[in-house]
Amino acid sequence: MHELSVVFEVIKTVERVVLENQLSEVEAIVLQVGEISTMIPKYLEECFPAAIDGTRFEKTKLEIEIVTAIGHCRDCGLTFKIVENQGNCPSCVKKNWDLVSGKEFLIKEIVAY
């Protein structure tokens, strides 16, 4: 489960931001996770308590926003939801597309004061 090591890296990054900006409390960390990224949101949520245990972030909440996988068909130009359409363009039924979104993994927001 690589999510645990990733969550530890997220906490290190947040710690750095907290120190650089002289923040005292972090209410929430908001992550954006692409629908077809290698990160599994459920596992991230399960790993989070272990990553914050014994740290200044013990009361911090984790929020995860799922970014829909969107493709742009090279053949007909349609933009469509990849997962919903099993990777096939719903217009021309081909799998010849460029990824627009859906593989993201990033810290979108740190809610702190």
Side-chain angles (χ1 to χ4, degrees), residues 8-57:
F8 276 115
E9 287 303 315
V10 167
I11 296 303
K12 284 183 190 176
T13 300
V14 172
E15 177 72 31
R16 192 170 48 251
V17 170
V18 166
L19 293 173
E20 287 172 1
N21 293 282
Q22 300 175 351
L23 302 169
S24 59
E25 194 78 26
V26 176
E27 290 181 23
I29 299 169
V30 182
L31 301 178
Q32 282 190 329
V33 180
E35 190 174 32
I36 58 173
S37 76
T38 60
M39 294 295 125
I40 299 172
K42 177 183 174 186
Y43 294 166
L44 292 169
E45 290 169 345
E46 289 174 359
C47 293
F48 189 70
I52 61 172
D53 187 44
T55 71
R56 66 165 61 200
F57 304 113

Side-chain angles (χ1 to χ4, degrees), residues 4 7 14 20 25 38 42-44 50 57 65 68 72 80 90 99 109 113:
L4 182 59
V7 173
V14 172
E20 287 172 1
E25 194 78 26
T38 60
K42 177 183 174 186
Y43 294 166
L44 292 169
F57 304 113
E65 297 177 357
T68 303
H72 181 79
F80 64 97
L99 185 66
E109 184 176 10
Y113 54 91

